[in-house]
Each structure stands twice: as C-alpha cells, then as structure tokens.
Amino acid sequence: MRTTEQYGRKADLALTMWVKLVRASTTFGRLTGKDIEQHGLTQPQFGVLEMLGHLGPLTIGDIGKRMLVTGGCVTVILDNLEKESLVERMRSSEDRRVIKVQLTDKGELTFKTIFGKHAQMVAELASVLSEEEQLQLSTLLRKLGLALKDKQ
Amino acid sequence: MRTTEQYGRKADLALTMWVKLVRASTTFGRLTGKDIEQHGLTQPQFGVLEMLGHLGPLTIGDIGKRMLVTGGCVTVILDNLEKESLVERMRSSEDRRVIKVQLTDKGELTFKTIFGKHAQMVAELASVLSEEEQLQLSTLLRKLGLALKDKQ
DNA sequence: CATAAATAGTTTAAATATGAAATATCTAAC
DNA sequence: GTTAGATATTTCATATTTAAACTATTTATG
C-alpha cells in the first residue's frame, strides 16, 4: 500500500503497520471462519459459544463487552443461537432487567466438538511464526491493545 | 481469555495471539472509524476513497481484492459513494465488461481534506509503541499475513 | 413514598458483507 | 464465424453490525 514518505516518516510507519494489522486479522479470521461455517455456525455465533463454554453463564452486556460489539448485535446473535437450541436465556431473579445466557446440553456438546479442532487449526495457522515470534507478537499486540483501550 | 493449558501449549500460545490480534485490530479500527464518521463517511467508504486517492482509477475487481471483500460488496459501497458524488464509474472502452472507478473533484477534495488528519491520528494511536516496536510488529504481521494468504 | 436518573435488553433503520444466480462481454477452439 | 467457456459486474436473499429510540426495571434523591 504505497504511502511512502507522503505524510512524514512517523505517519507512514504507523499507516503500514495498521494496514498489515487489518490484513492479518482479516485473513486469519476468514480462514478460521471457513472451518467454523462447516459446522453450520457463523463466527460471531461460535464466539459466543466459546465464551460461554469457557467462562460459564454470562449476561448480554458481558458478552457484548468481551466481543467488542453492541448489545443490539448480541441480541441478534443470541436469537439465532436460540433458534438452534444451542443457548438459553434466563431472566435473573435478583435483578429482573438482567438476562443470563447459558449453553444448553446441545450447545455444550457442539462447543466441545468444534473447539478442539478449532484450536488445532489456529495453532497450525500461527505456526508460520516460531513460538518465540508468536510471543513477541503477542507482547506487542497486548501493549498496543491495552493502550488503545484507554482511549476509547 | 482464560485458555491456559487446556488445549496444549502450542494451541494456547496461538489462541492468545489470535485474540490479541483481533482486539487490537478492532479497537484501532473503532477509534480511527470515529474520526472518519465525523466527516460523514463510513470506514469502507473512506477505504475506497483512500485507495483511489493514492493509486488512481481502479476497477471494481481491483478494489475488492485490495479491501478483501466480494464484488457485490464493492458495488454497494460505490453506489453510496456515487450518491454523494464522491466517485464515478466509467465503462472501459477496451473491455466493455470492465468498469473503472475514479474520484470526482469533490471526492479528490474530500480525500485530501480527511486523509492528512487521518494519518496524524493513526500515527498518534500507534505512538504507544516506539518506532522500533512498530517496525518489529510490521515485520511479524507481514510474515503472518503473507503466509496466510497462500492458504486461502 | 414518589419521582428522576441510570441500567439492561430489544427493536428499528441503514450500511456492510457474503454467496449464488443473472447479465453482458470477451476469448478460445473448432 | 459460431459456440463454449471464462471473466467483470450487478442483483438478490440473508446475516451481521451500528446507533438511536424504546421498554422495563432498579437505584438514588428529595
């Protein structure tokens, strides 16, 4: 993406980094997504299943915060998961505004079936980088991500 | 995202890297997107403007390949940009299947007005990393991105 | 207690996004 | 030169996403 020296060295450095970040993220997501779709799930749907499988029941708000999407979006994703009987909503008795979402038995089974294979695929895709490089990348991305979070 | 040692060290390393990649990319995009939206453009719309501004007229197919989206999607984005008179389609005379897209004068002006500020903002957001760290990150992301491209 | 403000979710409209089918055009093979 | 296949774009149906408006509930304040 030719932006060489048009906006100053610092801006060019940042812009090329940014382009590579988006590309790597998009391409990675596309590849793992194809795998997930073969199980009849979309990526966001799988994201919710994974979250509930690892962390247990969560509220709509929690899910949105973790996935970095709005509540309206979570509502739609859950509607579609509920149609497939993979999750269920439960109104909280302490605070009746709150809804807790949890996996059904079918959801639990689906999660366990898919996730192991998914983890393998992610590992394989990442394996173009050595373990040390993956650690370096994680560290840099973590630093970037944390700093950006404060600016939201 | 607690996945410690549940699926083997390699998978965990890759999974945490993957999560950080998506988060950094999403958060970065959200922040620059807010800036762009203040000019009445969406991110994809600005992406097209930027591409045409830097590279000159492109075909629909070129745009889709560079943005990593399907042709159908490009059609819609261009429709919306055309409504605002920011771009125009021109049927190629050599190959009448092909459409070349170019900025209008208004589009050129909009691009120039927004992009300088955008580049500054990207540089500022990236500045939480030193220049050396940004270079390191670019290098690692490039390696990852290139390797993944082949697997599509 | 009554009302105002805050919070949790849902709904709605508009912009993306995909994949598949349809249209128009070009290229190749006979 | 005609037909078959390939290519470029659009159209369509469906899904995701956002922001903003709305509903229901809880908390705070007087």
Side-chain angles (χ1 to χ4, degrees):
Chain A
M1 203 72 51
R2 203 193 49 198
T3 57
T4 36
E5 281 307 331
Q6 291 188 41
Y7 303 93
R9 202 187 70 255
K10 281 190 187 177
D12 283 339
L13 193 59
L15 283 166
T16 53
M17 186 190 85
W18 173 216
V19 169
K20 288 179 177 52
L21 183 58
V22 172
R23 283 190 176 263
S25 169
T26 304
T27 312
F28 205 109
R30 195 85 31 107
L31 286 165
T32 55
K34 264 182 202 150
D35 184 42
I36 291 163
E37 277 153 29
Q38 280 168 4
H39 294 90
L41 292 174
T42 65
Q43 288 193 66
Q45 285 170 5
F46 178 68
V48 171
L49 239 54
E50 181 182 348
M51 207 174 291
L52 296 175
H54 280 128
L55 303 176
L58 294 172
T59 67
I60 310 276
D62 285 341
I63 295 172
K65 265 177 217 145
R66 285 179 178 275
M67 290 183 65
L68 306 176
V69 295
T70 60
C73 185
V74 176
T75 295
V76 176
I77 298 170
L78 289 179
D79 288 347
N80 288 323
L81 282 172
E82 230 174 13
K83 274 182 211 151
E84 301 294 328
S85 308
L86 294 168
V87 303
E88 54 195 358
R89 287 169 162 101
M90 290 187 314
R91 184 70 65 172
S92 162
S93 47
E94 304 138 41
D95 184 341
R96 294 191 41 69
R97 291 169 304 181
V98 172
I99 286 179
K100 284 265 184 181
V101 185
Q102 64 182 6
L103 292 181
T104 60
D105 289 348
K106 184 182 171 194
E108 192 86 45
L109 188 62
T110 304
F111 162 67
K112 281 182 181 148
T113 309
I114 299 182
F115 194 79
K117 187 160 162 276
H118 172 73
Q120 285 309 310
M121 188 183 185
V122 170
E124 200 226 308
L125 290 177
S127 70
V128 297
L129 299 179
S130 72
E131 293 192 20
E132 199 186 337
E133 285 173 325
Q134 288 181 44
L135 263 177
Q136 265 179 44
L137 188 50
S138 272
T139 306
L140 290 167
L141 288 171
R142 182 183 151 79
K143 190 169 174 184
L144 183 61
L146 280 181
L148 293 179
K149 206 168 128 187
D150 299 333
K151 306 207 178 189
Q152 301 227 13
Chain B
M1 201 74 48
R2 202 194 52 198
T3 56
T4 38
E5 281 306 332
Q6 292 187 40
Y7 303 95
R9 201 187 69 256
K10 282 190 189 180
D12 284 337
L13 192 59
L15 284 166
T16 53
M17 186 191 83
W18 174 216
V19 169
K20 287 178 177 50
L21 183 59
V22 172
R23 286 193 173 259
S25 168
T26 305
T27 311
F28 205 109
R30 195 83 32 103
L31 285 166
T32 55
K34 264 183 205 154
D35 185 43
I36 291 164
E37 278 153 29
Q38 280 168 6
H39 295 88
L41 291 174
T42 65
Q43 289 194 64
Q45 286 169 5
F46 177 68
V48 171
L49 238 54
E50 181 183 347
M51 207 174 289
L52 297 175
H54 280 128
L55 304 176
L58 294 172
T59 68
I60 310 275
D62 286 338
I63 295 173
K65 263 177 216 144
R66 285 178 179 273
M67 290 183 64
L68 307 176
V69 295
T70 59
C73 185
V74 176
T75 295
V76 177
I77 298 170
L78 289 179
D79 287 346
N80 289 322
L81 282 172
E82 231 174 14
K83 273 182 213 152
E84 302 294 325
S85 307
L86 294 168
V87 304
E88 53 194 0
R89 289 169 160 100
M90 290 186 317
R91 184 72 63 177
S92 162
S93 49
E94 303 138 42
D95 183 342
R96 295 193 37 70
R97 291 168 305 178
V98 171
I99 286 179
K100 284 264 185 183
V101 185
Q102 63 181 8
L103 293 181
T104 59
D105 289 347
K106 184 183 171 193
E108 193 86 44
L109 186 62
T110 304
F111 162 67
K112 280 182 183 147
T113 308
I114 300 183
F115 193 79
K117 190 161 161 272
H118 172 73
Q120 284 310 309
M121 186 180 186
V122 170
E124 201 227 307
L125 289 177
S127 71
V128 298
L129 299 179
S130 71
E131 291 192 19
E132 199 187 336
E133 285 173 326
Q134 287 181 45
L135 263 175
Q136 266 180 42
L137 188 50
S138 272
T139 306
L140 289 168
L141 288 170
R142 182 181 150 79
K143 190 168 174 187
L144 184 61
L146 280 180
L148 293 179
K149 206 168 130 187
D150 298 334
K151 305 207 176 187
Q152 301 223 14

